[in-house]
Amino acid sequence: MKQFGTIFKFELNNYLKNKIFVGVTVFLVAAIAVVMFFPKFADSFTGGDSDSEGETEVSGMLLLSVKDAEFGSFIEPQFQEAFAGYEVCLTEDGLEDVKKKVTSGDAECAFVIDGPTSYTYYVNNLSLYDRNAEIADSVLRNAYSMNAMVSGGMSADEAAGVLAVEISHDTESLGKDQLQNFFYTYIMIFALYLVILLYGQMIATNVATEKSSRAMELLITSAKPVSMMFGKVLASCLAGFLQLLTVFGSAILFYNINQQQWEGNQIIASIFDMPLELLVYMLIFFVLGFFIYAFMFGAIGSTASKVEDINTSVMPVTLLFVAGFIIVMMAMSNGSVDSLLMRICSYVPFVSPMAMFTRIAMSTVPVYEIVLSIGVLILSVAAVGVVSAKIYRAGVLLYGTKPKFGSLFRAMKKA
């Protein structure tokens, strides 16, 4: 136990004093601070009174050219209301003049309406998020319906009342709201993905570095290989957890300071509105998922004689983890978190930390399934830990070419 404590403190101290580790943490905290404080800085530069009068800022001129003058005077008020962000101007200019005003920048865009159901939309540079044509479709559709109602004997006021009727509805989710939970679930899964790959690679590299420099031969004379491996794994796990705690803790702090500026942003609000229950599950699956892969990376690192061989050696484990990540991400994007594949993955220890957490966050999972998944994961961590310890103990003394499975198994049995 004393050997384990010494190695654990030494490895943890190396992480906390590592300039790259500290630099990445500081950079992430600074980046989050910039994002969270941006609305406050933007308000200070604009005077903070952009919404004080409750007026919609006009972004430019919208030209409206209609062949039928009577129809043009009829739909102009509707365009004014629908395009509140523009200065809508009814024009009698010809088509070429309208185009010139749009290309020169005198007008943001233009609608040339040929009839009640057809028009041409002119814009200089069509934005990816341009919805003006969609809005114009709705305006003309309502205008056409109103004309049809008036022709059928209804008054203009009665037709306007029919078209302006408001539909009210309530949505009550009896389970989980996937849209609301999507963003923080995605962030947590992605954070778990990065931490496991980053620190797993660091564990394997550290072991291979000690082995290639022959420092391992000196270390194993004063400490047991099993104590060395567990010390490295637990130290890296704690370092990763501290880094996540620092980054997400600072994000929560900065959000609470600037919460007023972020009011109305449903995406940001949903990210920081994670229930305490999910935080507990995230911690459980993070620790267990990290352990199972960290043990594997440590064992693989002990079989490599040179640091240059690490990337090739850990490739199977990395591909296994990436495949699980892709399965979970595809299920999230398709809204099929309760599919048969995801249910199976919830009990496969190499994927369950991500799959089961996603199902818990975005669907209703029976308690017995959660308990069973965690139980399988705990037993798998113990089994992988025992096997990895034997591989580590045998692998640290194997030099030369990369050991084959047979020779490694014989060395494990002999040890």
Side-chain angles (χ1 to χ4, degrees):
M1 190 65 184
K2 184 178 179 181
Q3 295 175 350
F4 165 78
T6 302
I7 295 171
F8 175 79
K9 291 178 182 178
F10 176 77
E11 292 291 338
L12 182 61
N13 190 50
N14 283 344
Y15 280 112
L16 298 181
K17 289 185 177 181
N18 188 293
K19 293 182 179 179
I20 297 178
F21 176 86
V22 176
V24 170
T25 305
V26 172
F27 171 77
L28 292 176
V29 172
I32 292 174
V34 170
V35 173
M36 290 292 103
F37 282 94
F38 179 77
K40 183 174 290 187
F41 293 148
D43 288 344
S44 65
F45 283 117
T46 58
D49 57 355
S50 59
D51 298 328
S52 58
E53 299 180 2
E55 297 181 355
T56 303
E57 182 181 354
V58 177
S59 61
M61 182 185 296
L62 183 151
L63 295 179
L64 186 62
S65 175
V66 187
K67 289 184 178 182
D68 187 343
E70 184 179 353
F71 185 64
S73 61
F74 172 70
I75 65 170
E76 181 187 6
Q78 299 180 47
F79 268 81
Q80 290 278 7
E81 182 179 356
F83 293 92
Y86 291 91
E87 179 186 355
V88 179
C89 296
L90 188 62
T91 180
E92 296 180 357
D93 294 340
L95 179 59
E96 294 302 322
D97 293 333
V98 170
K99 290 182 179 180
K100 287 180 181 179
K101 288 184 178 180
V102 173
T103 55
S104 64
D106 294 337
E108 289 288 328
C109 57
F111 287 93
V112 177
I113 300 177
D114 303 320
T117 59
S118 63
Y119 69 88
T120 303
Y121 174 54
Y122 293 97
V123 62
N124 192 27
N125 296 306
L126 185 60
S127 170
L128 180 65
Y129 305 101
D130 193 327
R131 297 181 59 250
N132 288 343
E134 181 182 342
I135 297 173
D137 288 348
S138 177
V139 172
L140 290 178
R141 189 180 299 111
N142 286 342
Y144 183 83
S145 300
M146 182 177 290
N147 281 335
M149 292 177 184
V150 171
S151 300
M154 295 180 67
S155 67
D157 292 338
E158 289 174 342
V162 171
L163 293 175
V165 65
E166 294 185 1
I167 306 300
S168 61
H169 75 278
D170 294 322
T171 301
E172 184 177 348
S173 176
L174 301 179
K176 301 289 181 64
D177 185 347
Q178 291 191 0
L179 181 61
Q180 179 182 0
N181 299 354
F182 176 84
F183 296 102
Y184 60 68
T185 305
Y186 177 84
I187 290 175
M188 294 305 169
I189 294 297
F190 196 71
L192 179 62
Y193 171 81
L194 290 179
V195 169
I196 287 180
L197 285 187
L198 175 63
Y199 285 94
Q201 186 82 12
M202 291 176 67
I203 292 172
T205 303
N206 289 341
V207 173
T209 301
E210 292 174 354
K211 184 177 177 181
S212 62
S213 64
R214 297 287 178 170
M216 187 69 70
E217 297 178 359
L218 298 176
L219 291 173
I220 61 175
T221 59
S222 57
K224 295 180 179 179
V226 176
S227 298
M228 292 171 58
M229 189 189 73
F230 277 85
K232 291 177 181 293
V233 169
L234 290 175
S236 63
C237 179
L238 182 58
F241 179 72
L242 290 175
Q243 189 175 49
L244 283 181
L245 186 64
T246 303
V247 173
F248 286 106
S250 62
I252 295 173
L253 174 63
F254 297 148
Y255 171 75
N256 288 329
I257 295 175
N258 301 278
Q259 189 170 5
Q260 185 176 359
Q261 280 73 25
W262 287 104
E263 285 183 355
N265 192 315
Q266 296 182 353
I267 296 178
I268 298 296
S270 67
I271 292 175
F272 290 95
D273 194 24
M274 175 180 285
L276 178 61
E277 176 189 8
L278 277 184
L279 286 174
V280 174
Y281 281 127
M282 187 204 72
L283 178 61
I284 293 173
F285 284 109
F286 168 79
V287 172
L288 294 177
F290 184 90
F291 278 158
I292 198 168
Y293 277 97
F295 285 138
M296 295 170 66
F297 277 110
I300 291 174
S302 68
T303 63
S305 300
K306 298 182 295 183
V307 179
E308 293 80 2
D309 298 334
I310 285 296
N311 290 332
T312 304
S313 300
V314 301
M315 185 63 68
V317 178
T318 303
L319 291 177
L320 175 64
F321 185 67
V322 171
F325 176 78
I326 293 175
I327 291 173
V328 173
M329 287 292 103
M330 290 181 62
M332 288 180 61
S333 61
N334 296 333
S336 56
V337 294
D338 269 333
S339 64
L340 178 60
L341 180 60
M342 283 290 287
R343 290 177 180 272
I344 294 174
C345 289
S346 298
Y347 306 105
V348 178
F350 304 109
V351 190
S352 61
M354 295 180 291
M356 180 54 81
F357 177 76
T358 301
R359 289 185 60 206
I360 293 173
M362 300 184 66
S363 68
T364 303
V365 183
V367 177
Y368 77 89
E369 290 191 20
I370 300 175
V371 174
L372 181 60
S373 177
I374 294 176
V376 171
L377 193 54
I378 292 175
L379 293 177
S380 301
V381 169
V384 171
V386 171
V387 175
S388 298
K390 293 182 178 181
I391 295 176
Y392 186 92
R393 183 169 53 185
V396 292
L397 297 178
L398 293 176
Y399 289 91
T401 59
K402 184 179 179 180
K404 296 181 180 180
F405 180 79
S407 59
L408 186 61
F409 179 78
R410 287 190 295 270
M412 291 168 53
K413 188 176 179 180
K414 183 178 180 181

